[in-house]
Amino acid sequence: MPETRIVILDALTYAGNLTTLSEDLADPRVRFYPGKIQDATVVEGILKAEGVTHLVNFAAESHNDRAMMEAGSFIQTDVYGVYVLLEACRKFKLSRFLHVSTDEVYGSIDQGDFSESSPIEPNTPYSASKAGGELQIRAAIKAHGIPAVVTRGGNTYGPYHFPEKLIPFFITRLIDGKRVPVYGDGSQVREWIHCEDHAGGILHALLHGKDGETYNVGDRNERRNMEVVKILLEETGRDESFIKAIPDPRRGAHDKRYSMTTEKLNALGWSPQKPFESSLRETVAWYKERQDWWRPLVATDDYRSFVEAFYGPSLGEDL
Ligand code: DAU
């Protein structure tokens, strides 16, 4: 859609990185504002100045392990921030509000799949914050008729991923010859989707979803963590001595398995395109190639102090 303009509001927290957007920001149709979604003055000022019609909320505190240590910032962004956006949608009568949520709001499932009508039963401080945001949306749809759509995405991987989640954290450590901390026996199952497919699903729901509906965005690639780790070891030329099994730091909150059906979005004409294993191998190649992108991120005091505080005792000298 060549006539579309994109306005970005980003708090540039520890996981934000403007260099990721450098090519996009050179396009005159793209405008960037630094700021938080919790700041109503900033949000409303932008909607007014830019004449925004469609609002997509990608903003979130998103890392389960950080929320195990401190969940207040998650409530601020993932619950209160969503409320601020909804109020702004209401005031400026936007045509659509799309909220990017997560399959983690369903909780864990041993067998079978979650569908969009499954109950919301989050188990982690992070997923509870995302569920809280979703409940704000549910209420805003009913109380104020906000034209909102929610997407619930699976575990996402690909380039430009901040090195804290399993895949980018492990790739960057393995490239550096450091051991990788597998929680427990690594038998948890996650359903993986490439970031381009996830973004395509969100765009499809934005353009073709129905007001008030929720859509799962997944790719049916279920893998045990240890299966994923073995591919990463292979691609970085490391052997199994680089695996360090540690007592599960997520304790009782660690979901065993995620799995969801996607027929609802498929029926609107969307399907993911990227094959898991070869795309994961390409992702490792990307991190080998783009060390200029991630090395500054892992060298910050915030990054080092999080890794030290969260993994310190178990990773020891590998920090
Ligand atoms: O399912 C969607 C969700 O996927 C998103 O909503 C979250 O924002 C995103 O962080 C992700 O949540 P997970 O907690 O599943 O992702 P993470 O990459 O942190 O962990 C994936 C699995 O790997 C999980 O079973 C825990 C395990 N793990 C993770 C880390 C960081 C380890 O064994 N060691 C680690 O160091």
Side-chain angles (χ1 to χ4, degrees):
M1 290 168 289
E3 73 285 4
T4 303
R5 290 192 306 120
I6 295 179
V7 182
I8 301 164
L9 169 65
D10 192 320
L12 293 176
T13 61
Y14 75 92
N17 184 358
L18 258 185
T19 63
T20 305
L21 289 177
S22 42
E23 274 180 34
D24 306 288
L25 293 177
D27 188 318
R29 292 166 305 173
V30 179
R31 191 74 69 82
F32 181 86
Y33 291 87
K36 298 180 174 191
I37 60 167
Q38 301 93 292
D39 187 336
T41 311
V42 167
V43 170
E44 293 184 8
I46 294 171
L47 296 188
K48 194 167 173 199
E50 301 285 352
V52 172
T53 55
H54 292 55
L55 198 163
V56 183
N57 181 29
F58 290 100
E61 288 294 337
S62 72
H63 193 42
N64 271 305
D65 295 332
R66 288 204 177 230
M68 288 297 291
M69 298 177 77
E70 181 280 314
S73 57
F74 288 70
I75 308 290
Q76 281 298 321
T77 306
D78 303 353
V79 186
Y80 183 72
V82 173
Y83 161 75
V84 169
L85 295 179
L86 288 166
E87 284 295 288
C89 286
R90 185 178 163 201
K91 193 160 164 187
F92 289 87
K93 300 190 173 28
L94 299 197
S95 316
R96 168 132 295 173
F97 174 63
L98 186 142
H99 177 70
V100 178
S101 190
T102 168
D103 60 359
E104 291 198 19
V105 297
Y106 296 121
S108 189
I109 189 164
D110 286 341
Q111 284 179 343
D113 316 295
F114 290 120
S115 78
E116 289 83 352
S117 54
S118 300
I120 287 186
E121 290 177 337
N123 294 316
T124 71
Y126 155 68
S127 54
S129 76
K130 290 297 287 183
E134 283 204 32
L135 293 180
Q136 290 301 313
I137 295 165
R138 178 185 158 86
I141 292 168
K142 295 199 184 270
H144 308 303
I146 300 290
V149 167
V150 172
T151 57
R152 293 182 182 144
N155 277 65
T156 304
Y157 71 97
Y160 297 107
H161 203 183
F162 186 79
E164 64 182 350
K165 319 276 193 223
L166 176 77
I167 289 177
F169 183 48
F170 279 24
I171 295 174
T172 51
R173 286 186 69 82
L174 290 168
I175 289 174
D176 274 348
K178 293 175 176 169
R179 288 183 296 172
V180 290
V182 171
Y183 301 166
D185 62 2
S187 66
Q188 294 79 11
V189 173
R190 293 292 181 268
E191 197 181 65
W192 296 97
I193 180 168
H194 191 272
C195 56
E196 287 173 20
D197 282 329
H198 194 164
I202 292 167
L203 180 60
H204 205 85
L206 177 71
L207 299 178
H208 306 291
K210 285 217 233 104
D211 284 350
E213 295 291 330
T214 295
Y215 298 92
N216 290 340
V217 184
D219 193 13
R220 313 313 314 253
N221 293 304
E222 285 187 37
R223 296 287 188 287
R224 288 194 309 279
N225 290 343
M226 208 52 111
E227 293 177 72
V228 173
V229 173
K230 286 195 177 146
I231 296 175
L232 304 183
L233 291 173
E234 249 175 67
E235 287 301 305
T236 51
R238 308 293 180 194
D239 62 27
E240 295 199 7
S241 68
F242 281 82
I243 295 178
K244 170 102 170 117
I246 63 169
D248 196 334
R250 297 188 186 179
R251 306 184 282 274
H254 196 171
D255 289 329
K256 183 75 189 160
R257 175 173 172 263
Y258 300 140
S259 180
M260 56 181 175
T261 57
T262 57
E263 277 90 7
K264 197 168 162 185
L265 193 56
N266 299 147
L268 296 182
W270 172 80
S271 57
Q273 304 297 321
K274 302 278 279 184
F276 177 69
E277 200 172 309
S278 58
S279 304
L280 181 59
R281 292 181 194 278
E282 280 168 20
T283 301
V284 178
W286 187 90
Y287 277 88
K288 283 187 189 163
E289 179 81 25
R290 292 300 310 272
Q291 300 194 23
D292 63 303
W293 182 83
W294 60 265
R295 286 216 177 272
L297 305 179
V298 303
T300 66
D301 287 346
D302 177 86
Y303 189 86
R304 285 173 189 280
S305 61
F306 168 72
V307 174
E308 198 169 321
F310 193 74
Y311 297 98
S314 48
L315 280 181
E317 77 287 359
D318 287 339
L319 289 172

